[in-house]
Amino acid sequence: MSFIAVDPENDFPIENLPYGVFSTPQNNRHRIGVAIGDQILDLSVVKHLFDGPILKNSQHVFEEPTLNSFMELGRPAWKEARGTLQRILSAEEPILKDNADLRAKAFVLQSKAEMHLPARIGDYTDFYSSKNHAYNVGCMFRGPENALMPNWTHLPVGYHGRASSVVISGTPIRRPNGQTRPDETQPPNFGPCRLMDMELEMAFFVGGPSNMLGTNIPIQESEDHIFGMVLMNDWSARDIQKWEYVPLGPFLAKNMGTSISPWIVTMDALKPFITENMKQEPTPLSYLQHSDNYNFDINLNVFLKVPEITDPVLVSKSNFKYMYWTMKQQLAHHTITGCNVNSGDLMGSGTISGTTPDSFGSMLELCWKGTKPVELGNGVTRKFLQDGDEVIMKGHCQGNGYRVGFGTCTGKVLPANKL
């Protein structure tokens, strides 16, 4: 138990301790912090307390404006840091609890802080790893008999996204302009996207020493390169996507913005919530095989806050456990060609859909390609997102009397630029 009071419904008990980057009106320098209850522990103030055998010579990583250098230190350093944090925040440890001056400098209320991207994201890859989602989309466009492409059950499908437009939760997303072809008998049109969508995803940050170009990360070592996870909204312009994606896949339909939650929940915090991997048929090739479970029971909710209704409306309840391909498999596959990955690289899961209509992770599925409007109450419906709509994503793992949560990932749709 921490000396910081934490409500059982709060996302950030001592069992969690996620990392983020913040600033305050009094100090606009970007600093690394750890969430505990409704507060942030400023690690630049308490860096001297990280005096274990690994971190005593690397305390400078907690003075940097991003987590990249800390991520690069690797799993032994991450575990040592977590042990130190749980000790100094414990109700039995006086080093912070009984030092009023240090506490006054070290703690900041989350409500008084502005959150920033937690890392320099050099590269961003988005996978397509929920079988339910892939099957649903395939059914819409190809029918149930050809819903999954022939490669889907053999490898984690993915695309390289745009790292420059990954943004922190709360950043508005502007509706994109682009080419669409609503009538296949006519030439394409240019104008604002009409089928703006959200996608419920999670993502992991790569950590540990980079693999050299021309080498791979074996699946047996992949866990040592997975630092932690965030919520992610992979905003999508479905009409632009439909026209552009053949033959090379998503491009302008995805690059207008990708939102992530600000707190990175570490894999050590998530370990108590490991659940069985999904059964994979056929058996993957040997480089993608791992016998241990590396799936996670993470409850995921999506809310829509629309101008016509005061309160946010729950539109989807899903769970990360519906992932077919694991993060270990995604990373091993990503690097099997010798592709080098670096600390701070972001890897998205792909849309996470469950087995029932209320667990689908995109408006495309929830409205089933526009044929079933989503009822929001008071006669208000949506098929796709309208200007002024705000998407709110939340996620947590439920423990015994506590929860390990991710906070929120939010973004509001702004009107397209007039060109």
Side-chain angles (χ1 to χ4, degrees), residues 79-395:
K79 294 179 78 70
E80 183 179 291
R82 179 173 173 81
T84 297
L85 287 165
Q86 289 191 318
R87 175 177 58 82
I88 65 177
L89 289 168
S90 165
E92 289 76 38
E93 172 60 53
I95 197 164
L96 262 179
K97 182 182 70 169
D98 295 346
N99 187 332
D101 289 341
L102 184 57
R103 278 205 326 273
K105 297 175 184 176
F107 287 101
V108 173
L109 282 172
Q110 290 185 35
S111 60
K112 303 291 186 182
E114 179 182 356
M115 301 304 296
H116 307 280
L117 285 176
R120 294 185 309 276
I121 302 172
D123 284 292
Y124 156 53
T125 298
D126 196 27
F127 288 94
Y128 189 53
S129 292
S130 164
K131 191 173 184 179
N132 297 324
H133 172 68
Y135 178 80
N136 288 341
V137 174
C139 283
M140 291 178 207
F141 293 98
R142 294 182 297 275
E145 65 281 354
N146 296 308
L148 295 180
M149 291 295 193
N151 65 350
W152 201 93
T153 56
H154 292 273
L155 57 84
V157 174
Y159 73 91
H160 291 292
R162 184 71 187 174
S164 66
S165 55
V166 177
V167 296
I168 202 68
S169 172
T171 305
I173 300 296
R174 191 166 293 281
R175 182 181 299 273
N177 289 298
Q179 282 194 30
T180 62
R181 194 185 185 192
D183 185 344
E184 295 184 3
T185 67
Q186 298 295 320
N189 300 324
F190 176 80
C193 155
R194 295 188 303 165
L195 306 181
M196 186 73 169
D197 203 354
M198 57 82 181
E199 294 192 46
L200 170 63
E201 302 196 21
M202 299 197 72
F204 70 87
F205 275 96
V206 174
S210 302
N211 61 307
M212 297 289 291
L213 180 66
T215 68
N216 67 297
I217 297 174
I219 199 161
Q220 297 80 9
E221 300 173 15
S222 56
E223 186 174 359
D224 293 335
H225 294 267
I226 301 174
F227 177 73
M229 299 180 69
V230 293
L231 300 169
M232 190 175 99
N233 184 350
D234 178 32
W235 301 89
S236 298
R238 297 297 187 187
D239 44 356
I240 295 174
Q241 182 177 0
K242 181 182 177 182
W243 173 233
E244 74 174 3
Y245 83 101
V246 177
L248 295 182
F251 181 34
L252 302 184
K254 300 281 191 175
N255 73 359
M256 82 290 295
T258 303
S259 303
I260 63 171
S261 54
W263 295 108
I264 305 177
V265 178
T266 66
M267 303 317 295
D268 282 329
L270 294 172
K271 270 190 175 179
F273 307 99
I274 286 178
T275 188
E276 282 189 312
N277 300 333
M278 288 193 72
K279 185 174 179 59
Q280 296 182 334
E281 293 180 335
T283 301
L285 296 177
S286 58
Y287 78 96
L288 289 171
Q289 294 177 18
H290 63 95
S291 57
D292 58 321
N293 287 320
Y294 205 69
N295 201 0
F296 296 85
D297 183 8
I298 305 173
N299 300 293
L300 299 170
N301 294 326
V302 182
F303 300 83
L304 281 187
K305 190 174 189 304
V306 300
E308 303 97 311
I309 300 176
T310 303
D311 296 322
V313 179
L314 178 67
V315 295
S316 176
K317 293 184 67 173
S318 191
N319 194 295
F320 187 76
K321 68 184 179 183
Y322 294 122
M323 297 297 295
Y324 184 88
W325 295 103
T326 70
M327 291 178 282
K328 287 185 177 185
Q329 291 172 319
Q330 291 169 345
L331 188 56
H333 183 66
H334 200 304
T335 64
I336 197 62
T337 57
C339 172
N340 53 324
V341 295
N342 301 301
S343 292
D345 285 357
L346 187 69
M347 307 282 178
S349 64
T351 304
I352 305 165
S353 293
T355 57
T356 58
D358 63 349
S359 65
F360 295 164
S362 65
M363 296 300 290
L364 177 66
E365 295 166 275
L366 290 168
C367 77
W368 205 258
K369 200 182 171 185
T371 63
K372 301 176 181 178
V374 179
E375 300 285 343
L376 302 180
N378 296 334
V380 178
T381 64
R382 286 291 186 276
K383 292 180 180 178
F384 291 90
L385 300 174
Q386 297 182 11
D387 294 344
D389 290 353
E390 182 178 10
V391 178
I392 303 167
M393 296 178 175
K394 298 182 179 182

Side-chain angles (χ1 to χ4, degrees), residues 11-121:
D11 279 353
F12 308 122
I14 198 169
E15 291 88 353
N16 191 350
L17 303 181
Y19 294 95
V21 169
F22 74 101
S23 64
T24 57
Q26 296 76 27
N27 183 351
N28 61 9
R29 183 171 64 88
H30 290 198
R31 291 106 77 194
I32 295 172
V34 163
I36 177 74
D38 63 354
Q39 301 195 49
I40 301 171
L41 175 63
D42 185 340
L43 298 194
S44 70
V45 175
V46 297
K47 66 182 189 299
H48 60 285
L49 301 181
F50 293 89
D51 54 4
I54 300 172
L55 289 172
K56 65 182 179 182
N57 296 317
S58 300
Q59 294 173 353
H60 64 278
V61 299
F62 298 119
E63 291 184 291
E64 298 195 8
T66 66
L67 282 156
N68 294 70
S69 294
F70 175 54
M71 290 175 172
E72 193 171 0
L73 292 179
R75 182 163 297 282
W78 308 340
K79 294 179 78 70
E80 183 179 291
R82 179 173 173 81
T84 297
L85 287 165
Q86 289 191 318
R87 175 177 58 82
I88 65 177
L89 289 168
S90 165
E92 289 76 38
E93 172 60 53
I95 197 164
L96 262 179
K97 182 182 70 169
D98 295 346
N99 187 332
D101 289 341
L102 184 57
R103 278 205 326 273
K105 297 175 184 176
F107 287 101
V108 173
L109 282 172
Q110 290 185 35
S111 60
K112 303 291 186 182
E114 179 182 356
M115 301 304 296
H116 307 280
L117 285 176
R120 294 185 309 276
I121 302 172

